[in-house]
Amino acid sequence: MTPPDAPHNRWSDLDRPPLNLAALRRGLLRPDGLWSSLDVVETTGSTNSDLAARAAGGGLAEGAVLVAEEQTAGRGRLDRTWSAPPRSGLFLSVHLTPGDVPVERWGWLPLLTGVAAATGLAQSAGVDMALKWPNDLLVTIAGEERKTGGILAERAGEGVVIGIGLNVSLRAAELPAPHAGSLVLAGAVSTDRETLLRAVLRSLEQWYGQWREAGGDAAESGLQAAYAAGCATLDRTVRAELPGDRSVVGEAVAIDGDGRLVLATAEGLQEPVSAGDIVHLRGEGGGLT
């Protein structure tokens, strides 16, 4: 174990080796595949910001992937920050240009990424993953749901940049919040980040291909059913904290064709939620997840 005052370098934590860029490129970049380029940087503020800037400038091919060993200003929804120790997780962004899909269906892309990430991680890490609408990845630790990853999608140039942040080897003392978790704390059989990254990107390529072939139709591509099957938000009482300081409490009963969360309220109404913060409520006391 490296002393706490030792200078930081690529090998300062032997439990967290650096990514092998050459091996990742060999395994993921194929002439007939989605991924067109893959770069790994030691540190950056935000892979999403970096890739979005390149996309806005034009000339960035679809399938560009940017991975950081450390993010110092990673962004989540609602301008929340996401940071973690170097090489303790996966911090990456991808550039997609689904120009043959109607723009009104692009809202499914963060949900698609969630399904793809959960599928790939369940297979490669051996951990049951669940989805919290709209963009959180959950694991169960000691019987409690914990957030171990998040997804952020934003328009950039002619396409979309999608970022994924995932806690892989974060130890209990390193967790940023009581509700946070990591794959290692959830009992993952593998925390090899190269294995996990390949699995996530291959799963994303498969789901994205199916979705595009269906013209972005979430039902036809199987995406809507897959998301609902893995969504921990459904069949629970939740509070949706909406823009404009408005909130709605109801039972989450469905994911509709536009990817919205449908809440059944006590007043007998069904209200679709397209954007907002979702809080899982437990019991009458209002325990939160």
Side-chain angles (χ1 to χ4, degrees):
M1 180 70 73
T2 305
D5 58 348
H8 170 70
N9 63 64
R10 282 166 53 84
W11 297 98
S12 58
D13 189 337
L14 295 182
D15 290 332
R16 294 169 173 165
L19 295 167
N20 185 326
L21 176 59
L24 288 171
R25 285 175 170 170
R26 285 196 302 271
L28 290 165
L29 305 185
R30 308 185 317 273
D32 60 343
L34 172 63
W35 309 119
S36 56
S37 66
L38 191 151
D39 295 296
V40 176
V41 295
E42 279 297 308
T43 184
T44 189
S46 162
T47 56
N48 251 39
S49 295
D50 293 349
L51 213 55
R54 288 168 56 189
L60 183 65
E62 178 170 52
V65 181
L66 178 63
V67 186
E69 296 281 30
E70 179 185 23
Q71 274 196 142
T72 58
R75 292 178 292 122
R77 290 179 61 253
L78 307 178
D79 293 325
R80 296 188 178 109
T81 58
W82 179 287
S83 62
R87 304 184 306 279
S88 66
L90 291 178
F91 320 112
L92 69 142
S93 296
V94 302
H95 178 234
L96 302 176
T97 56
D100 51 349
V101 172
V103 172
E104 58 267 23
R105 292 178 170 175
W106 289 19
W108 272 100
L109 283 170
L111 280 70
L112 182 155
T113 303
V115 169
T119 302
L121 292 169
Q123 294 171 346
S124 57
V127 171
D128 287 335
M129 308 290 299
L131 302 164
K132 179 184 175 187
W133 189 92
N135 70 337
D136 289 348
L137 295 164
L138 306 179
V139 294
T140 299
I141 300 172
E144 181 182 0
E145 287 179 342
R146 301 277 195 92
K147 177 179 175 177
T148 194
I151 296 160
L152 177 67
E154 55 189 313
R155 289 291 300 269
E158 298 300 315
V160 179
V161 168
I162 304 174
I164 303 172
L166 179 76
N167 295 333
V168 175
S169 63
L170 224 60
R171 302 154 187 141
E174 297 172 320
L175 294 175
H179 62 272
S182 68
L183 294 183
V184 72
L185 294 176
V189 297
S190 173
T191 56
D192 182 282
R193 291 184 304 138
E194 291 175 25
T195 299
L196 302 178
L197 179 59
R198 286 194 297 267
V200 168
L201 289 177
R202 286 169 179 164
S203 180
L204 180 52
E205 180 176 10
Q206 178 183 349
W207 275 106
Y208 181 64
Q210 290 178 206
W211 178 75
R212 286 190 69 168
E213 287 175 10
D217 188 313
E220 182 181 338
S221 63
L223 175 59
Q224 186 176 4
Y227 191 91
C231 183
T233 303
L234 290 178
D235 302 321
R236 300 173 74 153
T237 300
V238 305
R239 183 176 67 248
E241 298 173 348
L242 307 175
D245 293 326
R246 190 170 73 93
S247 65
V248 176
V249 174
E251 182 183 357
V253 294
I255 304 294
D256 72 9
D258 294 318
R260 299 177 299 181
L261 181 68
V262 180
L263 301 185
T265 70
E267 293 77 22
L269 302 176
Q270 291 208 346
E271 181 160 348
V273 176
S274 59
D277 217 17
I278 300 298
V279 179
H280 292 175
L281 302 178
R282 285 185 188 158
E284 295 180 1
L288 309 181
T289 62

